Each structure stands twice: as structure tokens, then as C-alpha cells.
């Protein structure tokens, strides 16, 4: 297995695809995806464009759908929810399809959707993703951060580093065995520096600070948890995730 870390979708190579591509948007899309599946979502359909979300979801029975839209950290008018993992519980989400569009995470998924296997990962699901990779052993893996509007995000890179570190430990391999690019080494170094202070890292991160200004303290606390959900969302068809 060879791992490659790309900090934003814009860094992903224009040519070629890996055997497995993993979208990471810790604050908050991929954390919310996992939380929605944990609450019993039937599937999650992602969109980069809000108008497409509203148009396509209109054909779904109202009692069987939830519309989740977020731009700039705030909920979008016309949607039922924003982009908080804390929005989801069985009473609200179980048995429903989540139609979802966010500032960064759904754009990242769109960029990698043609890979043979597409997963999403968050700190909350790190160990589940590591276990999936060790079981299925894809030859090449891209860990792709969503970033913030094309720029680097600490929280996505620390999650990529946490996954890489977990794989090194489980497989008993070294950087020479696993690292396909230098960003893997840098991501693991970031994780080792902050592994016991993940919430503090969220507060340091620029997007974490945006969310704090919107009074989303509890979201940061939730998203900073490590290995709390045994869930691996996987793309069934382009743009549609199941678990």
C-alpha cells in the first residue's frame, strides 16, 4: 500500500486515479456524514451546488428526506439543517436520505468521485477507516483534505496523519514502505505533535476560529473526538454514500 496526502482538492493530480480515495473534512462535512449514518440515515447524496440539491431532492418524499446546506459555516435558507454533526439523532434522521451541500467537503468528494473506491473519514471514524484499509489493502490510497476554499486546513491534515500513523502501527511498516509523497510524513508529524490536544488544534485552526465566532463550540468538541464511531461511509454511485 502507498499513501499520498493532498491538503486540498486542488492539489490532486489531474491525471490518474488511486485504487482508493478518501475525502476528509473534519470541520465539518465528513464528521457530519458519519454522525448522520450513526443516527440511521438511509443514504447521503452530496452536491457542490445548492440549486441542484433543491431541485433533485424535490422528487423525494418530504417525510423521507432531509436537506442540509451550509455556506461559510452557516445554514442555507431553504434547507432543513446546516452542517453540524449534532443535528443528527435517530428521531430526526433514521430512515431518511440526507441531501447535503457544504462549502468544502462536498466539493472534495466531487473531485475524487471517479476513483474505484471512495470513502469519507473524520477523526471520529479514524480507526474504522484504518481497519477498512488494512482489510482491503488497496495498492494506492489518496487522503484528500477539503481545506477551506482552496487553502490548507490544519484539522484535515491532522486527520490524514492520524490515519497514516494508525496504518504504520497496524501493518508494522515504515514511512519508506507507506509514504508515497512527503506530505504523508508531514501529516504524521503534525498528528504526533497534537494527538493529545486535538481540541486545542481545532481552536488554533483558522476554520475552527470561524466556527467559534458563529458560536459552534460544541461542534468543535464533537469533531475533535478520536475513534468514537465504527463507521466507514463509502460511495455507492457517484455522489451517493452508504454505510
Amino acid at each position: 500500500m502507498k499513501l499520498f496526502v493532498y491538503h486540498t482538492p486542488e492539489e490532486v493530480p489531474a491525471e490518474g486515479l488511486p485504487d482508493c480515495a478518501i475525502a476528509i473534512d473534519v470541520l465539518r462535512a465528513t464528521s457530519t456524514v458519519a454522525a448522520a449514518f450513526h443516527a440511521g440515515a438511509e443514504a447521503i447524496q452530496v452536491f457542490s451546488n445548492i440549486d441542484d440539491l433543491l431541485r433533485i431532492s424535490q422528487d423525494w418524499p418530504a417525510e423521507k428526506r432531509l436537506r442540509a446546506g451550509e455556506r461559510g459555516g452557516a445554514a442555507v435558507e431553504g434547507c432543513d439543517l446546516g452542517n453540524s454533526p449534532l443535528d443528527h439523532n435517530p428521531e430526526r434522521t433514521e430512515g431518511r436520505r440526507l441531501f447535503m451541500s457544504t462549502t468544502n467537503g462536498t466539493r472534495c468528494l466531487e473531485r475524487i468521485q471517479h476513483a474505484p473506491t471512495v470513502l469519507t473519514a473524520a477523526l471520529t471514524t479514524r480507526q474504522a477507516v484504518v481497519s477498512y484499509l488494512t482489510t482491503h489493502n488497496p495498492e494506492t490510497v489518496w487522503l484528500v483534505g477539503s481545506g477551506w476554499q482552496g487553502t490548507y486546513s490544519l484539522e484535515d491534515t491532522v486527520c490524514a496523519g492520524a490515519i497514516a500513523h494508525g496504518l504504520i502501527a497496524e501493518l508494522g511498516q515504515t514511512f519508506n514502505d507507506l509514504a508515497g509523497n512527503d506530505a504523508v510524513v508531514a501529516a504524521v508529524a503534525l498528528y504526533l505533535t497534537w494527538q493529545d490536544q486535538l481540541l486545542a488544534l481545532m481552536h488554533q485552526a483558522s476554520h475552527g476560529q470561524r466556527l467559534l465566532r458563529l458560536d459552534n463550540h460544541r461542534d468543535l468538541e464533537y469533531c475533535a473526538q478520536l475513534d468514537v464511531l465504527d463507521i466507514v461511509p463509502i460511495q455507492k454511485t457517484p455522489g451517493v454514500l452508504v454505510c
Side-chain angles (χ1 to χ4, degrees), residues 37-215:
F37 279 125
H38 183 63
E42 173 262 335
I44 299 175
Q45 196 160 342
V46 299
F47 301 84
S48 58
N49 184 281
I50 288 285
D51 291 336
D52 289 342
L53 182 156
L54 294 173
R55 176 177 52 83
I56 291 172
S57 64
Q58 189 63 39
D59 295 332
W60 209 261
E63 70 277 9
K64 290 292 185 180
R65 75 177 183 226
L66 283 172
R67 292 164 163 167
E70 171 266 324
R71 290 294 183 271
V76 173
E77 185 177 353
C79 291
D80 306 299
L81 308 169
N83 182 26
S84 171
L86 299 177
D87 285 338
H88 295 280
N89 54 59
E91 292 75 20
R92 169 179 278 168
T93 305
E94 189 169 15
R96 292 186 171 188
R97 176 167 294 215
L98 183 65
F99 295 85
M100 184 177 185
S101 180
T102 72
T103 305
N104 303 295
T106 50
R107 184 173 57 86
C108 180
L109 274 165
E110 188 174 73
R111 176 65 186 84
I112 62 174
Q113 67 182 357
H114 296 299
T117 299
V118 176
L119 312 176
T120 70
L123 289 169
T124 55
T125 64
R126 186 278 301 256
Q127 185 55 50
V129 171
V130 168
S131 296
Y132 178 96
L133 293 173
T134 55
T135 298
H136 292 84
N137 196 31
E139 186 173 340
T140 54
V141 179
W142 290 357
L143 299 167
V144 185
S146 297
W148 173 262
Q149 297 182 345
T151 62
Y152 176 91
S153 288
L154 281 169
E155 66 278 3
D156 294 342
T157 300
V158 84
C159 183
I163 293 168
H165 183 264
L167 285 168
I168 288 169
E170 289 214 4
L171 296 173
Q173 295 184 327
T174 67
F175 282 127
N176 286 339
D177 299 319
L178 283 175
N181 63 2
D182 288 353
V184 174
V185 181
V188 173
L190 181 69
Y191 171 67
L192 290 175
T193 299
W194 290 90
Q195 61 183 319
D196 298 321
Q197 305 173 75
L198 292 172
L199 181 56
L201 178 70
M202 302 293 178
H203 283 255
Q204 180 68 38
S206 57
H207 190 40
Q209 292 175 21
R210 290 185 196 96
L211 294 173
L212 289 171
R213 288 194 291 271
L214 293 169
D215 198 27

